[in-house]
Amino acid sequence: MKKLKVFLLVLLLTLNLLISSSCWNYKEIEDIAIVAGIAVDYEEDTDSIIVTSEILYPSASGAEIKVLSRMITDKGENFFDAIRNTVSKSGMKLFWGHAKVIILSESLVKNKDELITIVDWFNRDPEPRHDIFLMISQDKSPSEILTSDIEAENITSFYIEDALLNESSVSKYRAITLWEFVTDLAEPGISPTLPTIKTIEESNRLSDEISGCGIFKDGVLVGYLNGIEARNHLMIINKLKGGLITEREIINNEPIMISLEIFDNKTKITPKYVDDKIVMSIDVSITVNIAEIGGEINFIDEKYRNILIKNTEKEIKNQLNGLITKVQQQYKSDIFGFGKLISEKKPKLWNQLKDNWPENFQDLNTEINVQVKVRGSAIRSKPITVGG
Amino acid sequence: MNKEIISNKSAISLIVLFIFGSSLILPTATDAGSDLWISILLAIVFTIPIFLIYSRILSLYPNKDLFDILIIVFGKWIGKFLCLLFSWFAFHLGVLVLRNFGSFIITVSFPETPMIVPMIFLGLLGVWVVKEGIEVLGRWSWIFFIFNAPAPTLVTLLLIPKMDFNNILPLFYNGSKAILKGTFSAFSFPFGEVVILTMIFFCLSNRKSSYKVFLSGLFIGGIPLAGISLVEILVLGPDLYKASYFPNHSVATKIGLGDFLQRLEILVLIAAVTGGFVKISVCLMACSNGIAKVFNLKDYRSVIFPMGLLMINFSYLIYDNVMEQIAWADEIWPYYAFLFQAILPIIVFIIAEIRKSSKIKSGRNSDE
Amino acid sequence: MKYKVTFLILIISFSFNFLTGCWNYREINDFRIVTGVAIDYDKTNKEYILTVEVIKTIADENEEKMTGETFVSNGATIFDAIRNTITESGKRLYWSNATVVIVSEEIAKRGIVPVLDMISRDPEMRSELLLLISKEDTAREILTSKSIAPQRVVSYSLETTLENEESSSNFHRVAAWMFIKDLYSEVNSPTCPGVKLGIYDETQTIEGTTVFKGDKLVGWLDKNETKYFLWITNKLKGGVYNLDISHKENLNIKELNLEIFHNKTKQKLKLKDENIVIYLDINTSGNIGEFSGNIDISDPDEKSKIENIIEKQIQRDIELLIKKLQLGYQSDILGFRSIVKKEIPDMWKSEIKENWEKYYSELEVNVTVDFKIRGSSNSSKPIIIRD
């Protein structure tokens, strides 16, 4: 009896090992091509999708093993077709578990169907992660973005991901993951944005720069915002976590540039309905340090500091007003989530407005209040002044 | 209350670390410009009589702290009122020091950390050590003192190549008025603040201890302080010194010996934080003690935790930014503090002496 | 009782978490380690162009070599440009190992204060960065030029050269904070060395000294004038001094090179009827490096004759430089104001400070040089040519 028990136990354990460690689905690492990032382009005339993938492979040199990357480009009728074609080219099936970025070309994001199929594939397939980053390429051929000459970084997709993770230090773009994009697409009171990336060339070297974002309406790209506008957008949606504001003051006919480092931002938006008009009351509060004074005037002492604060508040208010108006009239897309806010705070009102939201969005007014609080001035209490 | 006694050396280390506490991060006596080290030395001289007064008050009533003495000397009502005032002073000083350290730590090392985080930890640790009693605090300050003692000498020696003697010449360039202003300022920060210690020195070993303790503390703390300020002026020059929020830190970053001995500012930071910790703990103990005496509580230990939490809260709320901190410290503190550091103690001293001599007289009379 | 233990453990773990700066923790892999930075200004776009050199480690066979790579970014201010590097390089910059900052001549001429504020004010930057002004069109080309092996990092080779100031004395190294200290000062004018690229081999040469008036660059001292500058300000510690005396004194010497060992300059001031007279008392000793001619050094008479010639030459060169600074640039980088403030502070405060330009252009300098030949290297007799 005991022997039988032991035998059954061993049998159970072995079966367990086989099944629960997914032996049936095992993949040898040499048989798969690990994708670090892809660039997807849409060719209108041929109605085909071109996919460039950056594949990782280990390379041993001496005692070291380095991870390098290479590019595979494939064409197909649609996205799924294109990536399956890579198997015939590379001999390996693509593994998406480590993919960090998806770069979509401008032509692609202007075509709603193609965009949706690709986003849907990534959303549906279990292998890619939902926190993969999406971006729009402003270049003619997005595959160039993945080939950069920077030697300090072997794998372009990884350093693009680094830049996106460090969004809070620059705040001139907003990093969007797949799931955030899909959520905002589906949500009625808000339209998504995606950061833009382009190649730049300097000293005979290709690298990439991320700045600004693209605005979507109804799932299609309708326009772009530059870096500062993207920062203001972050401010309005209360997602600004760092970055800086540069302010130009003119004292005694001398222009002085001042950098204010942003440490904290709280934006509170209250929707109001006054005289049949929607008014969004936006209260912005920013905490900054005076990080740099480009001249000899003492903006740290009360007298000029108050001037600096007032001017900055005015400037930010103007920029925010300008941004909201521009988006309302030119792009007519609610990227600020005003609709979503109304649905949360005034649901009855939202029920009236939601069917016609794009038009209602254009008509709404805003009341903006900006408060800038200066926390300190790093380690110096005075600007550099020339003594003799 | 238990009978606690601290040794002289613990008491002296308490005073020394108290003096060094925030002076290691903030500038002192900036009005005197390049002569500020002279102001500090002069302030030491002018503080001697004040410290003698503190010592005398304590030695007249051995094993009693300032609060007990106030109640004895002034009677119940006025005495308790004065105790409350002094407790407030201790509390306020603790709040200011905690704030100074919070803003120093986040400005210099951790800019993205919210200021309340280091303040909570300094505050809570202070609460813990005060609950353990003054003996423990005394012994810790002795250890800190030993550990930090070589720092000033080391810093001075390593900075010699970067010093420029022209920075302090000619002496007395800014005139005697500036030096006197600086002296007054150096008295109110840091020397006069030692009055807080009278509020907890019920525990000195014998009558004569208070003199030894206060005067030794003054010299052992004050002279190196003057020395370090001198080094700072020699390296940075008076203009850069005035333009820095934390001149000691700025100077410490300049230490370097070849390729390997760099970034020694960490030693200065350790000395500063340990000194500040002792200062905050002493202030906390003093105000808890005072509150306990005013409200006739059995033991000051019960009030420590709430006082500590209040201190942390206050330190977060009192200023909006660094500039207000500096403005208060430069413009208002010296005069406000003078009341507690000099005027009130002198009044107490006079009245205590009068009472003593009248007691002797009446004692003699009753003998006859 | 057991609560105490748990409480203790809680506090200790909290302390580890918070007191060690965990809120602000940064992994070193998340950073690009900066070794040097160059700053230029783009007039058309009104932006600063920042070039940072960062380290990239290359594992090559069995060695790990450090090489530098540059990133360029633009910004409305220096702070803006620094943050904008993230959009290109992906990671934040780490400044603690940075050694040099190179500023373009154009910025220096317009006024250098705007680019220096950040270096002084930000706690992450090191104000011990060594300051250099680029003599080329831009500062950037210095960092992107080739670096000499084995140092593959341009900034580090610049730093090594600057550390060896004493052997050549063609330049005087200045840390950014000392430059800023002199800007603030009412008695000193700041200076810093210049760097240029060689014509043939694209490597960097550090040479010369800038003359600043206020915070604006007004002129340069070449490598020889730098030596006289170091002489006057008692900062000379070595170097090679060339004498051109072929036309002098009817001697049979055409060229003479001195290796300077030691120098001490004493500065004194005397007032002569409302005029300032500065006395420079220079004591230098050195070795004869090389000379061509017919003089025998081991002979004491000949030796003192040579010493005299040298002394006169040094005196003349120094006086020429002082005149050039007084009348040409009108900038007191020699620290004469410092002597005035030290010795006659009352007069300095009341009259001279306000009218320094007038006093400076009119002051007299009295130079006395005492030079001693310590030896003549290996041979005391000249090379004799007999046909």
Side-chain angles (χ1 to χ4, degrees):
Chain A
M1 206 51 226
K2 194 159 181 196
K3 265 203 187 144
L4 188 60
K5 236 188 181 172
V6 173
F7 175 69
L8 275 177
L9 212 70
V10 172
L11 188 61
L12 257 173
L13 278 174
T14 334
L15 275 176
N16 223 1
L17 271 174
L18 271 175
I19 296 177
S20 45
S21 49
S22 70
C23 265
W24 201 288
N25 235 85
Y26 91 102
K27 296 186 197 168
E28 281 280 356
I29 199 154
E30 292 132 5
D31 294 342
I32 55 173
I34 303 177
V35 183
I38 59 164
V40 189
D41 194 5
Y42 174 62
E43 227 175 52
E44 280 217 50
D45 3 331
T46 56
D47 195 26
S48 54
I49 299 272
I50 308 173
V51 173
T52 311
S53 329
E54 185 178 23
I55 313 282
L56 301 175
Y57 68 95
S59 117
S61 51
E64 274 265 336
I65 299 185
K66 269 193 301 186
V67 178
L68 300 175
S69 68
R70 59 194 175 94
M71 306 294 156
I72 306 181
T73 310
D74 289 294
K75 206 162 157 171
E77 279 173 25
N78 54 43
F79 181 68
F80 208 49
D81 189 30
I83 56 179
R84 276 297 148 124
N85 285 341
T86 55
V87 182
S88 42
K89 249 209 199 149
S90 69
M92 300 184 279
K93 186 157 175 285
L94 296 175
F95 178 66
W96 296 95
H98 291 293
K100 308 279 186 205
V101 293
I102 306 173
I103 303 176
L104 309 162
S105 73
E106 202 178 48
S107 53
L108 184 68
V109 294
K110 283 196 176 146
N111 185 320
K112 186 170 175 173
D113 295 323
E114 301 292 343
L115 175 65
I116 296 296
T117 26
I118 295 181
V119 171
D120 181 70
W121 187 90
F122 275 96
N123 206 22
R124 200 178 292 279
D125 192 289
E127 238 179 48
R129 299 158 51 148
H130 280 191
D131 57 3
I132 196 171
F133 289 111
L134 264 64
M135 312 177 73
I136 304 175
S137 141
Q138 287 175 308
D139 290 337
K140 282 252 174 347
S141 97
S143 55
E144 272 186 10
I145 293 192
L146 289 178
T147 56
S148 94
D149 290 332
I150 296 192
E151 294 160 34
E153 207 57 70
N154 290 326
I155 300 157
T156 315
S157 304
F158 286 176
Y159 94 78
I160 294 180
E161 184 207 18
D162 282 335
L164 290 171
L165 289 174
N166 275 323
E167 164 207 312
S168 55
S169 302
V170 194
S171 293
K172 292 211 169 130
Y173 47 84
R174 182 178 167 213
I176 303 277
T177 55
L178 178 69
W179 67 266
E180 286 172 320
F181 185 65
V182 168
T183 316
D184 284 350
L185 267 179
E187 180 98 34
I190 185 168
S191 297
T193 62
L194 284 183
T196 48
I197 184 171
K198 62 178 196 274
T199 50
I200 51 176
E201 187 179 324
E202 43 164 69
S203 15
N204 301 329
R205 192 186 65 176
L206 272 180
S207 64
D208 306 312
E209 188 185 68
I210 309 175
S211 182
C213 62
I215 304 177
F216 281 78
K217 185 184 155 111
D218 276 342
V220 172
L221 179 79
V222 293
Y224 289 108
L225 293 180
N226 68 27
I228 305 255
E229 292 169 327
R231 179 199 77 206
N232 293 335
H233 172 238
L234 280 170
M235 203 187 288
I236 296 177
I237 59 178
N238 198 24
K239 290 213 159 80
L240 185 65
K241 295 193 194 68
L244 71 149
I245 300 173
T246 51
E247 182 66 23
R248 188 160 175 266
E249 294 286 334
I250 304 190
I251 308 272
N252 304 331
N253 282 331
E254 283 272 339
I256 299 185
M257 294 297 296
I258 299 169
S259 299
L260 299 170
E261 181 177 359
I262 302 173
F263 281 103
D264 193 29
N265 168 60
K266 280 196 186 33
T267 304
K268 208 160 145 218
I269 308 184
T270 335
K272 293 200 262 213
Y273 197 57
V274 176
D275 298 333
D276 249 11
K277 278 221 154 256
I278 315 167
V279 176
M280 305 299 287
S281 169
I282 305 179
D283 291 306
V284 180
S285 163
I286 318 173
T287 311
V288 300
N289 244 10
I290 300 179
E292 191 183 357
I293 299 180
E296 296 182 41
I297 306 284
N298 194 343
F299 285 98
I300 301 176
D301 274 349
E302 227 183 315
K303 170 172 166 207
Y304 284 109
R305 187 172 90 233
N306 289 335
I307 298 178
L308 173 67
I309 293 178
K310 260 227 269 308
N311 285 344
T312 311
E313 291 174 345
K314 211 166 45 172
E315 174 71 24
I316 299 283
K317 180 173 171 176
N318 286 340
Q319 283 182 7
L320 294 181
N321 261 324
L323 175 67
I324 297 180
T325 316
K326 173 176 174 183
V327 172
Q328 279 179 306
Q329 326 227 289
Q330 254 186 299
Y331 304 122
K332 307 182 177 119
S333 167
D334 181 9
I335 54 172
F336 308 108
F338 288 157
K340 188 162 162 216
L341 254 159
I342 296 181
S343 77
E344 287 168 9
K345 299 221 174 131
K346 282 189 158 34
K348 276 198 243 156
L349 178 63
W350 175 241
N351 276 330
Q352 296 173 20
L353 300 169
K354 68 179 176 198
D355 296 319
N356 234 351
W357 182 239
E359 276 73 38
N360 287 322
F361 171 69
Q362 277 178 61
D363 289 334
L364 63 76
N365 286 331
T366 54
E367 246 172 41
I368 305 186
N369 280 316
V370 180
Q371 194 193 30
V372 169
K373 290 194 225 171
V374 173
R375 189 179 91 162
S377 63
I379 58 176
R380 296 271 181 252
S381 57
K382 296 191 177 36
I384 300 180
T385 48
V386 179
Chain B
M1 208 161 26
N2 338 9
K3 192 90 163 56
E4 301 171 49
I5 299 192
I6 60 172
S7 62
N8 279 358
K9 69 174 193 229
S10 297
I12 296 180
S13 343
L14 269 177
I15 296 188
V16 169
L17 282 173
F18 196 84
I19 290 179
F20 260 96
S22 19
S23 309
L24 263 189
I25 55 174
L26 296 172
T28 350
T30 48
D31 290 315
S34 55
D35 297 321
L36 58 84
W37 58 285
I38 300 181
S39 288
I40 298 179
L41 289 174
L42 271 179
I44 296 180
V45 171
F46 286 144
T47 312
I48 295 178
I50 304 280
F51 274 25
L52 286 173
I53 292 181
Y54 297 160
S55 316
R56 175 71 175 160
I57 296 177
L58 282 179
S59 75
L60 278 178
Y61 300 94
N63 287 328
K64 299 228 184 300
D65 56 48
L66 183 68
F67 299 118
D68 298 323
I69 298 174
L70 283 172
I71 296 180
I72 296 177
V73 166
F74 288 100
K76 201 162 115 177
W77 295 109
I78 306 185
K80 284 208 174 171
F81 174 66
L82 287 175
C83 283
L84 208 56
L85 277 185
F86 269 104
S87 301
W88 161 253
F89 182 63
F91 178 75
H92 194 189
L93 183 62
V95 165
L96 294 176
V97 176
L98 196 53
R99 172 69 183 217
N100 283 336
F101 271 89
S103 104
F104 173 63
I105 291 175
I106 62 162
T107 303
V108 155
S109 309
F110 313 137
E112 283 98 25
T113 312
M115 200 188 289
I116 194 94
V117 173
M119 293 204 290
I120 288 181
F121 280 95
L122 274 177
L124 285 182
L125 279 172
V127 164
W128 185 9
V129 85
V130 171
K131 265 202 198 269
E132 292 296 324
I134 192 165
E135 277 186 48
V136 172
L137 183 59
R139 266 179 276 168
W140 266 111
S141 50
W142 169 243
I143 296 178
F144 287 149
F145 175 66
I146 297 293
F147 189 69
N148 293 328
T153 332
L154 202 62
V155 166
T156 311
L157 287 177
L158 288 173
L159 282 172
I160 290 183
K162 306 230 161 72
M163 294 189 201
D164 178 11
F165 276 89
N166 285 332
N167 279 332
I168 55 167
L169 296 171
L171 293 176
F172 307 113
Y173 177 67
N174 289 319
S176 42
K177 204 157 125 197
I179 295 190
L180 285 177
K181 245 169 131 184
T183 309
F184 178 55
S185 170
F187 170 71
S188 67
F189 168 80
F191 300 122
E193 294 170 349
V194 177
V195 72
I196 309 268
L197 282 154
T198 60
M199 304 180 204
I200 59 171
F201 271 171
F202 49 83
C203 47
L204 294 176
S205 18
N206 61 54
R207 230 186 178 129
K208 290 257 183 37
S209 291
S210 56
Y211 294 101
K212 242 200 273 189
V213 158
F214 276 100
L215 290 176
S216 318
L218 178 62
F219 288 113
I220 300 181
I223 298 190
L225 185 65
I228 291 191
S229 303
L230 178 60
V231 167
E232 288 165 22
I233 292 281
L234 281 174
V235 174
L236 294 177
D239 310 289
L240 206 48
Y241 184 88
K242 272 208 213 157
S244 308
Y245 285 124
F246 311 114
N248 206 299
H249 173 262
S250 294
V251 146
T253 55
K254 316 264 180 287
I255 298 176
L257 191 62
D259 260 341
F260 48 94
L261 222 55
Q262 277 188 17
R263 284 297 165 125
L264 284 182
E265 68 235 32
I266 192 69
L267 281 181
V268 172
L269 285 176
I270 293 178
V273 175
T274 49
F277 170 68
V278 168
K279 200 164 175 176
I280 294 170
S281 306
V282 168
C283 290
L284 188 57
M285 183 181 281
C287 71
S288 308
N289 198 11
I291 296 290
K293 297 264 158 72
V294 169
F295 294 105
N296 286 336
L297 301 174
K298 246 197 297 200
D299 188 353
Y300 69 87
R301 283 191 169 74
S302 47
V303 212
I304 296 177
F305 192 51
M307 292 308 280
L309 288 180
L310 266 178
M311 216 184 253
I312 297 174
N313 263 308
F314 261 72
S315 57
Y316 189 66
L317 296 170
I318 44 171
Y319 299 128
D320 269 342
N321 52 44
V322 179
M323 298 83 174
E324 285 182 9
Q325 199 178 313
I326 305 287
W328 162 273
D330 280 345
E331 291 160 30
I332 308 182
W333 172 259
Y335 306 103
Y336 158 79
F338 195 67
L339 175 70
F340 296 95
Q341 294 168 340
I343 299 184
L344 283 177
I346 293 183
I347 296 180
V348 172
F349 166 68
I350 295 177
I351 299 191
E353 288 289 354
I354 295 178
R355 285 182 68 120
K356 174 150 194 259
S357 56
S358 72
K359 234 206 277 186
I360 296 182
K361 260 202 240 149
S362 65
R364 259 192 245 131
N365 285 342
S366 60
D367 277 350
E368 285 165 9
Chain C
M1 210 50 226
K2 63 171 184 240
Y3 288 127
K4 218 176 186 179
V5 177
T6 13
F7 182 58
L8 230 89
I9 296 179
L10 255 174
I11 285 216
I12 292 180
S13 32
F14 262 134
S15 298
F16 274 139
N17 203 3
F18 287 113
L19 278 182
T20 47
C22 264
W23 199 291
N24 240 88
Y25 100 105
R26 307 173 209 181
E27 285 265 358
I28 195 134
N29 279 334
D30 293 343
F31 279 93
R32 297 240 181 264
I33 301 179
V34 180
T35 56
V37 59
I39 308 178
D40 292 293
Y41 189 67
D42 180 352
K43 270 204 278 242
T44 29
N45 292 330
K46 293 226 171 111
E47 289 186 314
Y48 286 101
I49 306 176
L50 198 80
T51 312
V52 284
E53 183 181 31
V54 302
I55 295 185
K56 60 178 194 280
T57 32
I58 298 187
D60 192 359
E61 307 274 279
N62 303 316
E63 243 179 81
E64 261 206 36
K65 282 187 275 210
M66 255 195 335
T67 12
E69 187 182 11
T70 53
F71 287 98
V72 180
S73 60
N74 299 349
T77 58
I78 307 287
F79 191 71
D80 194 20
I82 290 180
R83 288 293 168 99
N84 284 341
T85 52
I86 297 175
T87 64
E88 193 204 331
S89 84
K91 301 190 176 156
R92 261 185 89 147
L93 299 178
Y94 184 67
W95 292 94
S96 294
N97 285 45
T99 50
V100 293
V101 52
I102 308 171
V103 177
S104 72
E105 198 175 352
E106 191 194 324
I107 295 182
K109 284 193 186 144
R110 263 182 352 147
I112 201 172
V113 164
V115 302
L116 290 182
D117 189 80
M118 175 81 186
I119 297 176
S120 170
R121 184 177 299 278
D122 192 297
E124 284 184 41
M125 299 275 280
R126 298 180 63 220
S127 51
E128 295 84 46
L129 288 175
L130 298 171
L131 183 63
L132 288 163
I133 307 278
S134 161
K135 283 182 171 178
E136 304 293 331
D137 287 331
T138 65
R140 183 172 154 198
E141 47 199 278
I142 309 277
L143 276 189
T144 53
S145 61
K146 253 195 312 200
S147 72
I148 328 168
Q151 285 277 26
R152 308 281 180 95
V153 181
V154 174
S155 314
Y156 285 165
S157 56
L158 286 175
E159 184 204 17
T160 316
T161 314
L162 285 167
E163 299 278 329
N164 283 322
E165 166 190 334
E166 279 117 35
S167 351
S168 81
S169 290
N170 286 340
F171 54 85
H172 174 55
R173 87 169 164 267
V174 171
W177 71 271
M178 295 201 94
F179 189 89
I180 294 172
K181 186 175 84 155
D182 285 342
L183 271 178
Y184 273 120
S185 161
E186 62 179 6
V187 293
N188 287 329
S189 282
T191 60
C192 71
V195 61
K196 66 178 194 226
L197 295 175
I199 314 178
Y200 301 113
D201 63 353
E202 277 239 350
T203 54
Q204 316 84 29
T205 312
I206 301 183
E207 192 176 275
T209 304
T210 56
V211 181
F212 273 83
K213 197 162 176 212
D215 76 323
K216 297 185 173 43
L217 177 74
V218 291
W220 287 93
L221 300 180
D222 64 29
K223 59 186 182 182
N224 290 323
E225 293 169 322
T226 304
K227 287 203 191 65
Y228 315 143
F229 160 69
L230 292 172
W231 236 308
I232 300 171
T233 52
N234 196 24
K235 292 192 184 121
L236 187 67
K237 292 194 185 64
V240 173
Y241 180 53
N242 257 321
L243 282 121
D244 172 31
I245 48 174
S246 48
H247 58 285
K248 276 233 156 122
E249 308 278 322
N250 225 3
L251 284 169
N252 296 333
I253 302 189
K254 295 187 194 61
E255 271 177 42
L256 194 58
N257 264 350
L258 288 181
E259 189 188 342
I260 301 167
F261 278 157
H262 185 72
N263 173 62
K264 184 133 177 85
T265 308
K266 289 209 200 72
Q267 299 161 332
K268 269 213 240 311
L269 180 150
K270 281 209 183 64
L271 276 179
K272 220 187 343 181
D273 326 308
E274 294 279 318
N275 276 336
I276 303 175
V277 182
I278 306 240
Y279 290 86
L280 291 176
D281 185 19
I282 299 178
N283 280 299
T284 319
S285 69
N287 244 4
I288 306 269
E290 58 183 89
F291 71 94
S292 62
N294 257 331
I295 304 281
D296 184 356
I297 298 287
S298 51
D299 176 358
D301 280 334
E302 301 284 316
K303 186 164 172 224
S304 51
K305 235 201 270 187
I306 302 261
E307 285 178 350
N308 265 331
I309 298 173
I310 296 173
E311 286 166 4
K312 283 219 185 62
Q313 179 79 9
I314 296 178
Q315 179 181 343
R316 202 189 60 167
D317 285 332
I318 289 185
E319 284 172 350
L320 268 174
L321 176 66
I322 297 179
K323 272 276 171 318
K324 179 174 176 184
L325 287 168
Q326 270 180 303
L327 307 171
Y329 296 132
Q330 289 171 350
S331 168
D332 173 31
I333 57 171
L334 303 170
F336 288 159
R337 277 173 298 186
S338 178
I339 312 174
V340 172
K341 178 178 169 187
K342 232 187 338 186
E343 311 243 350
I344 43 173
D346 298 315
M347 224 181 125
W348 162 255
K349 258 194 275 203
S350 51
E351 287 171 40
I352 307 183
K353 194 159 70 163
E354 306 295 321
N355 299 319
W356 176 246
E357 303 233 340
K358 172 170 147 312
Y359 278 96
Y360 184 52
S361 51
E362 288 176 8
L363 63 75
E364 264 176 64
V365 184
N366 198 301
V367 184
T368 36
V369 184
D370 179 29
F371 185 84
K372 288 210 178 11
I373 299 180
R374 264 184 38 184
S376 58
S377 299
N378 270 338
S379 59
S380 55
K381 299 215 193 316
I383 295 176
I384 302 179
I385 302 177
R386 264 195 279 254
D387 281 328

